[in-house]
Amino acid sequence: MTIVDEPRLTERGPAAAEILARAQAIAPIVRERAEEIERLRRMPDDIVELLRDAGVFRMGFAKSWGGPELNSVEQTEVIEALAYGDASVGWCAMIGSDTGLYANFLAEPVAREMFPSLDMATAGLLFPVGHAEIVPGGYRLTGRWQFGSGINHADWVVSGAFIFRDGKPEPDEFGNHDSRLMMVPRDQVEVLDTWYTTGLAGSGSSDYTITDVFVPAEHSLVFSEVHVAAGPLAQPEVHMRNMPGVPLGVARAALDYVRTESAARADDYRLQVTLAECEADFHATRSGVYTAMRREWEVLSAGGTLDDLTPEERAALPLSRVHAFRTARSIVLRLYDLRQTSSIYKPSPLDRWLRDTTTMCQHVVAQDRILQSAGAHLTGGTPSFRLALGLTS
């Protein structure tokens, strides 16, 4: 893996260095098994255990829990290293490692009971599509959700739901239909075999249903209510920060692969120009991602809030994510064209990387809605996806 390290805000801590080293060691293993992972349409159990043993799922847990409390830059580096081996593994690691982040939005005694191990993984769709009826002590949750990435090996499933009282929409403080995130044990969730996709096939992002399951009120959360001391990892958009690690890891893998496979054509003009253009795009994009995150971390770790960022700095966070996803797809497509007919056969990883980057670019973090939201923030307009900017009201 030939990633050139960007200047660091701080030295990487020993826990972060160890987890990153383990992730880098896992990468060639999952690269060798990428076809199997894609064929199974989920991560094999032994690969899941490799991630658990490496400490990937515990990355976000605070030191007060005995966790490593990796900062956002360090978490993204780990995801990037895993995605360098396989995009679906990187994607599932990114989703599953949110457990410690969710703990910040739950009452600590409740969270400690829910997560007796720091190596528990979460999955689920955060958009409110479920129906949560208010009942004594909590909610009755019913619904069907898409995109349960990693749900086959998850311990808890978190799902967005609209709140109802006596069958009628419950308003929030602003008069809108209220919604919350509901956390349900995996054994109370039915997974549907729907994940037949162009790319990210190994992520197991199937639809799932929950039917009339009681969710205690304390097992629900909203990102506007933090139950721990304010800090860099107790912020409403924290679960989005490490997402660029997936496209960046795939783009780097594709660049390294083509350089190796094209060694015999070292003096080919088209090869030289295309590789140089792609390298330039990669380094500029990666620098944008990490620069935006480092600035955010610098402000938050000094006791500031997201409101202390300039409008340009705050917009740079979601914009750098969009750019990472779209640039990775562009890089892979140009390298695919460069390799011509050798790219079209499935043994070529370029075929899989092209499909993986195409599929991941359909996620909301890579869509125009993010551009609109960032642009609105810069112009004083109304963002359509406020959470991408860390706005909850």
Side-chain angles (χ1 to χ4, degrees):
M1 191 173 183
T2 59
I3 290 175
V4 177
D5 281 340
E6 309 292 344
R8 297 189 58 78
L9 179 64
T10 58
E11 287 301 313
R12 190 181 290 120
E18 182 177 1
I19 294 174
L20 178 59
R22 291 176 179 176
Q24 291 170 333
I26 290 171
I29 297 173
V30 297
R31 175 76 63 83
E32 287 295 319
R33 297 179 61 182
E35 290 185 38
E36 174 194 358
I37 293 168
E38 185 170 47
R39 185 176 65 255
L40 290 175
R41 294 180 296 113
R42 57 173 291 179
M43 281 204 299
D45 292 343
D46 64 316
I47 298 297
V48 174
E49 293 312 308
L50 281 178
L51 298 184
R52 287 193 202 276
D53 292 344
V56 171
F57 295 144
R58 65 168 54 205
M59 290 195 297
F61 273 104
K63 291 178 181 177
S64 61
W65 282 64
E69 198 173 335
L70 270 60
N71 66 42
S72 298
V73 168
E74 293 165 340
Q75 291 180 37
T76 306
E77 290 174 329
V78 171
I79 301 305
E80 192 177 4
L82 292 167
Y84 184 84
D86 182 74
S88 291
V89 171
W91 192 268
C92 287
M94 175 265 295
I95 297 290
S97 64
D98 285 340
T99 311
L101 306 180
Y102 292 133
N104 294 325
F105 301 92
L106 298 163
E108 184 172 341
V110 174
R112 288 188 180 274
E113 182 179 349
M114 294 171 65
F115 310 131
S117 166
L118 303 188
D119 297 309
M120 300 176 77
T122 49
L125 180 72
L126 304 188
F127 288 106
V129 297
H131 181 119
E133 185 74 26
I134 297 174
V135 297
Y139 308 90
R140 282 284 173 185
L141 178 63
T142 296
R144 174 170 174 164
W145 294 260
Q146 292 181 294
F147 312 122
S149 303
I151 196 168
N152 292 290
H153 60 260
D155 300 287
W156 286 88
V157 177
V158 55
S159 307
F162 285 110
I163 308 300
F164 293 81
R165 187 186 298 272
D166 299 324
K168 297 179 180 179
E170 179 76 356
D172 62 15
E173 59 181 313
F174 305 105
N176 302 314
H177 195 172
D178 199 9
S179 64
R180 294 184 71 85
L181 297 174
M182 307 282 165
M183 300 203 71
V184 173
R186 168 62 180 83
D187 60 11
Q188 296 182 28
V189 176
E190 180 183 0
V191 177
L192 307 177
D193 187 21
T194 57
W195 193 241
Y196 295 86
T197 59
T198 299
L200 289 180
S203 67
S205 305
S206 293
D207 291 14
Y208 63 95
T209 61
I210 298 172
T211 305
D212 196 31
V213 169
F214 175 69
V215 181
E218 60 269 24
H219 287 188
S220 71
L221 62 97
V222 290
F223 289 126
S224 58
E225 297 177 8
V226 178
H227 289 261
V228 298
L233 293 181
Q235 303 291 329
E237 43 60 79
V238 65
H239 60 288
M240 301 183 193
R241 293 181 197 164
N242 61 18
M243 295 187 75
V246 181
L248 289 175
V250 174
R252 182 69 264 166
L255 281 162
D256 289 353
Y257 171 80
V258 170
R259 284 175 62 183
T260 300
E261 293 297 307
S262 305
R265 298 168 51 202
D267 288 326
D268 182 270
Y269 180 83
R270 183 185 175 213
L271 170 68
Q272 294 167 341
V273 170
T274 301
L275 275 175
E277 287 179 337
C278 289
E279 287 283 359
D281 286 349
F282 175 80
H283 288 293
T285 300
R286 188 173 189 267
S287 178
V289 166
Y290 283 107
T291 296
M293 269 196 292
R294 287 190 179 95
R295 176 56 183 158
E296 178 187 37
W297 193 268
E298 181 181 69
V299 169
L300 296 176
S301 61
T305 71
L306 292 172
D307 291 336
D308 292 317
L309 295 169
T310 67
E312 293 78 14
E313 289 171 339
R314 196 162 188 171
L317 294 161
L319 289 176
S320 68
R321 289 192 287 266
V322 172
H323 197 59
F325 278 81
R326 294 185 174 187
T327 301
R329 177 174 59 180
S330 172
I331 288 172
V332 171
L333 178 58
R334 281 177 280 168
L335 297 177
Y336 187 96
D337 286 344
L338 179 67
R339 294 290 296 168
Q340 299 178 337
T341 55
S342 64
S343 301
I344 68 175
Y345 296 100
K346 284 195 173 183
S348 167
L350 282 168
D351 170 77
R352 183 169 54 256
W353 290 326
L354 180 63
R355 290 182 285 107
D356 287 341
T357 53
T358 298
T359 296
M360 69 178 71
C361 277
Q362 309 317 307
H363 194 282
V364 65
V365 299
Q367 292 295 302
D368 286 352
R369 188 179 178 191
I370 303 299
L371 299 178
Q372 182 278 328
S373 298
H377 183 68
L378 292 171
T379 60
T382 303
S384 65
F385 189 24
R386 297 173 62 80
L387 191 61
L389 293 154
L391 298 168
T392 59
S393 61

